């Protein structure tokens, strides 16, 4: 098995997969293996996650490089069969098929980096911006205006959103592990599927925020701090 074929296999794809398929598989695997999702008191799994991410990054880089050089391996039909091959799709894509929609910016998709420098975007105006699937991990977005912004499926690990305006923002399936949202405005925001594990939501205003259907909460709040937060029903968390 050559290195190109091995790269496809690491991402769970067949040779000849499209750019969209490669990038989607990459994002899904990073979501699964991100070290922030692994308990800090389990060094063995932490190391495994780091090694896995390096392997995933290398595989994606190899396929992108091959495509630029025109060496992308194509699926070849069997010589004795007239049957068309089914378009290649990864397991992760099939699982998310019902709710995922591809966007047009895959070619500029940011990669996971172990030591990504923070960038100061405090006070910036991103009202109505399309930030779907963007990697904003570690960024300083304190007091930024993100009202009506599309942040669905965004990576926002340890992002600083203190005092930010996220009114009516779409945070569907956004990953906000250990993010800081002190006194943030989340009124009428869509939080369904979002992961706020370990996040600080002290004093945040969540009035009218969509957090599930009927009596079922569909937001992950494991270890989140909600002291003084105004909950969707208007009550204040003790």
């Amino acid at each position: 098995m050559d290195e190109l074929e091995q790269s496809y296999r690491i991402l769970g794809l067949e040779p000849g997969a499209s750019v969209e398929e490669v990038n989607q598989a990459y994002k899904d695997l990073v979501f699964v293996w991100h070290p922030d999702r692994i308990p800090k008191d389990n060094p063995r799994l932490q190391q495994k996650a780091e090694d896995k991410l390096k392997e995933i990054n290398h595989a994606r880089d190899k396929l992108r490089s091959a495509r630029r050089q025109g060496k992308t391996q194509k699926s070849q039909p069997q010589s004795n069969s007239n049957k068309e091959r089914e378009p290649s799709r990864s397991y992760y894509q099939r699982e998310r098929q019902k709710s995922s929609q591809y966007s047009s910016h895959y070619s500029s998709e940011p990669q996971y980096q172990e030591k990504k420098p923070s960038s100061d975007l405090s006070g910036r105006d991103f009202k109505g911006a399309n930030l779907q699937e963007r990697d904003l991990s570690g960024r300083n977005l304190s007091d930024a205006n993100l009202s009506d912004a599309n942040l669905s499926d965004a990576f926002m690990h340890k992002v600083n959103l203190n005092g930010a305006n996220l009114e009516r923002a779409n945070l569907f399936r956004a990953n906000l592990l250990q993010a800081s949202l002190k006194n943030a405005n989340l009124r009428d925001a869509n939080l369904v599927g979002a992961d706020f594990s370990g996040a600080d939501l002290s004093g945040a205003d969540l009035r009218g925020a969509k957090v599930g259907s009927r009596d079922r909460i569909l937001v992950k709040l494991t270890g989140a701090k909600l002291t003084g937060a105004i909950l969707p029903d208007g009550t204040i968390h003790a």
Side-chain angles (χ1 to χ4, degrees):
M1 181 185 303
D2 62 26
E3 189 176 4
L4 194 61
E5 185 177 354
Q6 178 67 16
S7 296
Y8 280 114
R9 177 163 295 187
I10 289 171
L11 295 180
L13 298 169
E14 294 182 8
S18 67
V19 174
E20 290 81 3
E21 290 173 315
V22 170
N23 283 306
Q24 185 65 53
Y26 169 81
K27 290 198 301 289
D28 291 336
L29 287 168
V30 169
F31 183 85
V32 171
W33 286 103
H34 199 289
D36 284 348
R37 303 183 67 84
I38 308 297
K40 300 298 183 183
D41 59 354
N42 194 325
R44 182 182 66 80
L45 285 182
Q46 282 280 330
Q47 185 59 53
K48 185 175 182 179
E50 293 287 351
D51 293 342
K52 190 67 176 178
L53 277 169
K54 290 177 183 178
E55 183 181 51
I56 294 165
N57 279 331
H58 178 74
R60 182 172 183 264
D61 289 344
K62 182 66 178 178
L63 293 178
R64 292 185 68 180
S65 176
R67 183 170 291 276
R68 285 194 296 268
Q69 298 173 19
K71 297 179 181 180
T72 307
Q73 189 172 354
K74 300 293 183 181
S75 298
Q76 299 294 332
Q78 296 181 2
S79 57
N80 295 324
S81 175
N82 293 323
K83 295 182 179 179
E84 294 183 359
R85 296 192 62 173
E86 180 182 357
S88 61
R89 293 185 299 170
S90 70
Y91 165 79
Y92 307 99
Q93 288 173 283
R94 292 194 298 270
E95 289 297 300
R96 296 178 62 180
Q97 181 182 8
K98 293 181 180 180
S99 56
S100 293
Q101 292 183 345
Y102 295 132
S103 61
S104 62
H105 61 270
Y106 282 111
S107 60
S108 59
E109 171 92 15
Q111 296 189 43
Y112 167 81
Q113 296 178 355
E114 295 177 41
K115 294 183 179 179
K116 182 175 183 177
S118 61
S119 180
D120 189 0
L121 300 172
S122 57
R124 297 286 188 89
D125 187 1
F126 293 103
K127 182 177 181 179
N130 182 11
L131 301 173
Q132 181 181 13
E133 299 178 343
R134 293 293 183 87
D135 187 350
L136 300 170
S137 301
R139 301 294 182 89
N140 179 13
L141 285 158
S142 59
D143 299 313
N145 181 12
L146 291 153
S147 58
D148 299 300
N150 181 10
L151 290 158
S152 60
D153 289 302
F155 290 92
M156 305 174 77
H157 309 282
K158 299 182 181 179
V159 69
N160 180 359
L161 288 164
N162 293 338
N165 181 11
L166 291 148
E167 188 170 5
R168 297 181 305 278
N170 181 13
L171 289 159
F172 176 64
R173 284 194 317 227
N175 202 320
L176 292 112
L177 288 164
Q178 301 177 15
S180 184
L181 297 103
K182 295 178 182 178
N183 302 311
N185 178 8
L186 290 156
R187 296 184 64 171
D188 299 313
N190 179 15
L191 308 181
V192 173
D195 189 347
F196 288 92
S197 298
D200 190 346
L201 289 154
S202 301
D205 187 350
L206 291 91
R207 281 177 289 183
K210 186 176 180 180
V211 295
S213 59
R214 297 183 181 179
D215 296 329
R216 187 181 180 189
I217 303 297
L218 298 174
V219 178
K220 191 172 182 180
L221 293 164
T222 306
K225 187 176 181 180
L226 293 163
T227 306
I230 306 176
L231 303 181
D233 60 3
T235 60
I236 300 177
H237 192 278

